[in-house]
Amino acid sequence: MPGHFEPLPGGGAAVALDDVEISIIRSLAVQLLELIGPGPAEDAEADPLAELFAEGPSEPPSDPVLKRLFPDAYCDPEQTPGSTQDAAEQRAYSAEFRRYTENDLRAGKRENALAVIHSLNELAPAGEGGAVLELSPQQARRWLGALNDLRLAIGSRLEITDEDDTDDLYRLPEQDPRKPMVMAYLWLGGLQETLVSTLMP
């Protein structure tokens, strides 16, 4: 899947996508939306004031992908705390931070995924089973956030923790059931990298 973003005059970015690529990105974005879940306003009565002061969860999610998307703010999983008291303080700080920020973080990730889906749905065919997606600078930033979240989600499922893991994935045999997910992870990485380049001044 060789598609890559190129800058547009006056800002923004464009990429040529075929029907398969469009379908893959749309499907992944929909799955990400399902994973993130509905917002508080979708579960409660429409009260803007109540929504403004709604508190989020204080415990980290149990799903490993959601843990990757919404990590603890004060806990470093690679670092051993100096004492049990340090660990308890870090958990308390993380819980408090999560309670007041996770709803907004989820809303932002949800909006990014929805922006991807909407822009793909509005694509006009360019012939021969493909289309050219043109994004404004604001849309491009939404796409960048969604691409990052999709790669984090796939990377978590593939148990990628560092670049060495990625190198090993390149060498997977074709019959490995993880191969399609690996190909999607690498392709999305290429899209993300070229989109970053288009947004740099």
Side-chain angles (χ1 to χ4, degrees), residues 113-128:
L114 281 170
V116 167
I117 294 167
H118 292 322
S119 58
L120 291 176
N121 289 343
E122 292 167 4
L123 273 179
E128 296 187 15

Side-chain angles (χ1 to χ4, degrees), residues 2-175:
H4 60 275
F5 280 97
E6 296 180 357
L8 286 173
V15 62
L17 299 169
D18 64 31
D19 288 343
V20 173
E21 293 168 335
I22 292 168
S23 176
I24 290 171
I25 297 173
R26 184 189 287 116
S27 174
L28 289 172
V30 168
Q31 290 176 53
L32 182 64
L33 275 176
E34 292 171 353
L35 184 65
I36 293 170
E42 296 171 58
D43 290 335
E45 297 177 9
D47 182 348
L49 190 59
E51 184 182 345
L52 180 64
F53 291 103
E55 293 182 3
S58 58
E59 293 298 317
S62 57
D63 185 290
V65 174
L66 289 175
K67 275 186 180 177
R68 190 86 170 264
L69 292 172
F70 305 102
D72 275 335
Y74 292 93
C75 293
D76 183 354
E78 309 244 337
Q79 182 179 0
T80 305
S83 68
T84 306
Q85 182 178 355
D86 290 342
E89 284 180 3
Q90 285 184 352
R91 282 195 298 273
Y93 291 145
S94 291
E96 189 75 358
F97 186 81
R98 182 180 297 279
R99 196 154 58 100
Y100 292 109
T101 61
E102 187 166 313
N103 282 345
D104 287 342
L105 290 174
R106 283 181 182 260
K109 292 179 185 299
R110 198 178 298 112
E111 287 169 11
N112 290 342
L114 281 170
V116 167
I117 294 167
H118 292 322
S119 58
L120 291 176
N121 289 343
E122 292 167 4
L123 273 179
E128 296 187 15
V132 175
L133 174 71
E134 294 190 355
L135 302 174
S136 69
Q138 182 179 5
Q139 289 174 316
R141 286 189 289 276
R142 290 261 183 229
W143 264 74
L144 191 58
L147 288 173
N148 185 62
D149 289 339
L150 289 173
R151 291 193 79 237
L152 284 174
I154 295 172
S156 178
R157 291 287 188 240
L158 292 170
E159 299 181 350
I160 296 172
T161 56
D162 56 40
E163 283 304 314
D164 291 339
D165 295 335
T166 307
D167 293 341
D168 292 340
L169 292 174
Y170 276 108
R171 295 186 285 275
L172 283 179
E174 291 300 323
Q175 63 271 24

